[in-house]
Each structure stands twice: as structure tokens, then as C-alpha cells.
Amino acid sequence: MDGLNVSIAFFLLVVGVCQVLRWLSKRLLSPGTHGCLAREFAGSLQLCVSCLELRMMMEIGPWSGGFGLDVVLTLLFLLSALHGASFDGASSNPTVSLQEFLLLESSLAVTVAKLLAQAVGAGTGWALTRLYWSWELTQLHFIQNLIAPECSSSIRASLPHAAFVEGSCSFLFHLVLLKMGQSHPLYRVPVLAATVTFLTYTAGPFTGAFFNPALATATTFQCSGSSFWDYIQVYWLGPLAGMLAALLLFQGNIPRLFQKNLLYGQKSKYKVPKAKVTAQVEGDKPQRKRKTGKSNSEPRA
């Protein structure tokens, strides 16, 4: 279990370093630069490093580390909750940033800046994790270094099936994210962490269950077994389609593209009661008839 302890210490170190980056950027940079670049960079770095280490534990741990899938899934839930609590509003996911753009919550320039920061953060996380593995602090890292050059694709299903799996994961994740968007973090963070853990458990054997294009690009695009276009269809187009479907189902429209609600009718909040009196027009002044046949000179409210 020494390898497990080293990995847990590594996770905590990475979270601590990324928290320091967030703290420094918030004090040294302007709010716009911190929100668009530094915060997304730190979040993507933290997420990518954690994902790579967890994937290594999931693949090698059962037959070399002495721990099974239950330990890895528990760590995944705890890390997902920790990420949700520490990300400081960063999405670290291109489809989430695009969703914010489509909901008119961010401009095009801000969205592009976030996507670039996420790509740089994920790439930096991949490079730092490979450097960390090269130190071979545990037997798990030693084995990982041996098999790393021969890594195989995470797509273990037919291409349409794999794209459907990633799209479905993205659809469910974004639907929960939209539903819990205005909830208190005390409820939102564990619900999203449980959703990520469930989707990883169910869809992991087919595609790795990334439903995050930046994370998938840094983690599996360099592996052999699938073409670049295959990766694009599964890990970019699939999650993007899932996000659009979730947004359309939740909103009934896509505000950036069209305002008309295609799925849900717009009902008025106020009900107008029907009057039990009739009106007669004499000249330009309406009057009401009473049952007694007499009429008032002034209409009653």
C-alpha cells in the first residue's frame, strides 16, 4: 500500500500548489485575467494531473498495487468533491465554457481565452505528470514508465457506440450541472462528484469516460490504436453534442442562437379573472349593467 500513500500525498501536493497559484494570481493579476486565464489554467492543471494518476492506479493497481476498483472510485469521488470546492468558479472543461457562451453568460473573447488556458493547463499537467512518473517513486510508477510508450487507445467499442457513450455522459453531466447551477455549494459539489463517479464507473470500460475534450486530448490522443479523426469524433464531437442536447432540453432553446422556446410553452404568471358583468358603450364611456337593470355612472373596480 506504499504506492497508494505516495499517490494520495501527490494529489494533496498538487491541490496545494494549484491553490497557491490561484491565491497569487488573484492578488497580482487583474480580475479579468485571473478569471479567464489563471483560474482556468490552475483548474485544468489540477484536473489533468489527478486524472492521469488515477488512470494509472486504475490500470495497474489491481494486479500490482494491492488495491481494487473500489479504492480508486472512492478517491475519484473525494477528488471530484475537492476539485469542485477549490476551483473557484473555473470550469476546466471546454464544453462547460461553450455552454456559458451559449447561455450569454460570457463573451466570445472570454470564451476563447478560457479554452486556450484550459488547453495549456492540460498540456502542462501531462508534462509534469510524466516527469513525476520518471522519478519512479513507487513500483506503480516504474511499471507505468515501462508501458507508457506502448499506450493504447481508450476507445474499446465501435466508433458510433463510443461517440454515443461520451455524448450520453456529457448530456447527463451538463443536465445535472444546469439543474444544480444555482444551488448552494454544500449540495452542488457532492452531487456533481457523485455524478462524475457514477459516469466513470459505468462508461469507463468503453471510452474512459472523459466527457471533457481538453482532458481527453492530453490523456489519450497520443496513444495508438485510433486515428486522430476517431478521437475528434468521440472526445470532441460526442461531448459537444451531449452538451447541446442537455441545454436544449433544460432551456427549451439556445439563447445565443435563437430566443424562441421550441419545447415549452410560455405561460403567463398572472391569471385574469373573468368578469360576470357586461359592458355597454354609450358615447365614449363604458358602463356596466347590473342585474337590477340600473347602471352606475362610474364603473366599479
Side-chain angles (χ1 to χ4, degrees), residues 29-52:
L29 301 176
S30 64
T33 305
H34 167 71
C36 295
L37 299 176
R39 192 169 59 184
E40 291 292 340
F41 171 82
S44 295
L45 172 64
Q46 180 177 324
L47 185 63
C48 182
V49 169
S50 301
C51 177
L52 286 168

Side-chain angles (χ1 to χ4, degrees), residues 180-301:
M180 303 296 295
Q182 303 301 323
S183 303
H184 192 278
L186 186 63
Y187 307 108
R188 183 177 67 252
V189 169
V191 168
L192 288 174
T195 302
V196 170
T197 304
F198 169 75
L199 293 176
T200 301
Y201 174 72
T202 55
F206 303 103
T207 61
F210 293 103
F211 49 93
N212 182 330
L215 188 61
T217 302
T219 304
T220 193
F221 268 43
Q222 75 279 2
C223 294
S224 60
S226 298
S227 67
F228 180 77
W229 177 239
D230 291 344
Y231 286 130
I232 291 294
Q233 292 182 76
V234 174
Y235 295 118
W236 278 89
L237 299 183
L240 182 60
M243 179 272 290
L244 291 173
L247 182 58
L248 188 60
L249 179 64
F250 186 81
Q251 290 279 124
N253 68 337
I254 299 179
R256 180 70 66 173
L257 303 180
F258 49 85
Q259 296 295 325
K260 183 179 179 181
N261 197 308
L262 302 179
L263 301 181
Y264 311 113
Q266 299 294 328
K267 294 183 178 180
S268 174
K269 295 181 179 180
Y270 307 101
K271 293 183 178 180
V272 180
K274 294 182 178 179
K276 294 184 178 179
V277 295
T278 60
Q280 263 189 344
V281 178
E282 295 181 0
D284 293 330
K285 183 183 293 184
Q287 293 183 347
R288 295 180 181 174
K289 275 188 178 181
R290 307 183 72 177
K291 292 183 179 179
T292 58
K294 299 179 180 180
S295 62
N296 293 332
S297 61
E298 293 291 334
R300 293 186 178 182

Side-chain angles (χ1 to χ4, degrees), residues 7 10-15 18 42-57 72 75-76 79-80 82-83 87 125-126 129 133 215 219:
S7 293
F10 176 64
F11 291 138
L12 296 177
L13 176 64
V14 169
V15 173
C18 290
S44 295
L45 172 64
Q46 180 177 324
L47 185 63
C48 182
V49 169
S50 301
C51 177
L52 286 168
E53 184 74 2
L54 273 174
R55 281 175 57 82
M56 182 271 299
M57 296 172 65
V72 179
L75 281 175
L76 174 61
L79 284 172
S80 298
L82 185 59
H83 293 337
F87 272 10
W126 176 83
T129 306
W133 287 344
L215 188 61
T219 304

